[in-house]
Amino acid sequence: SGDFHLVGHSLGGWVMRGWLSERAGKDTKSKLKSFTTLGTPNRNPSNSLLRSFDQTRGMLKYINENYPANSVQGVRYTSIVGTGTKASFPSLNLEEILAFV
């Protein structure tokens, strides 16, 4: 009945883009005021080495080609991302690694 806002996290951002493009009707789209994604990868990797190792198995490319962002006029689109989390072993010494596990 009233205006609303969508928030999608990670893969949920892609799900919402697909829903908005394929399933949402004109009335629903007219009431949508903003669409925010949190930690959703929306861009293909720019580095050719990373591009060759596609962790999404082609889904990101498919989403971007078929469900473009900013596809509904009048909706404010926002994407909030971070730089990621770095993981590391406490040591490169095999005995310490095995003791850690």
Side-chain angles (χ1 to χ4, degrees):
S1 62
D3 296 342
F4 68 101
H5 306 267
L6 287 177
V7 177
H9 174 254
S10 193
L11 179 63
W14 293 352
V15 172
M16 296 313 303
R17 281 172 62 183
W19 173 81
L20 190 56
S21 295
E22 279 197 358
R23 303 287 183 196
K26 289 180 182 180
D27 185 53
T28 299
K29 290 178 183 180
S30 70
K31 294 176 182 176
L32 178 62
K33 297 303 168 196
S34 69
F35 177 41
T36 302
T37 59
L38 305 169
T40 301
N42 289 307
R43 283 203 226 158
N44 296 324
S46 58
N47 182 318
S48 62
L49 177 62
L50 293 176
R51 189 172 289 162
S52 65
F53 181 68
D54 182 6
Q55 293 179 328
T56 69
R57 297 184 175 109
M59 282 301 298
L60 178 55
K61 181 179 178 185
Y62 179 84
I63 292 293
N64 285 335
E65 289 175 355
N66 293 284
Y67 310 119
N70 299 325
S71 62
V72 180
Q73 290 185 338
V75 173
R76 180 178 178 185
Y77 288 81
T78 305
S79 182
I80 300 171
V81 297
T83 58
T85 303
K86 292 183 180 181
S88 65
F89 288 108
S91 169
L92 294 179
N93 180 306
L94 181 59
E95 289 180 15
E96 290 182 24
I97 293 172
L98 292 175
F100 182 73
V101 176

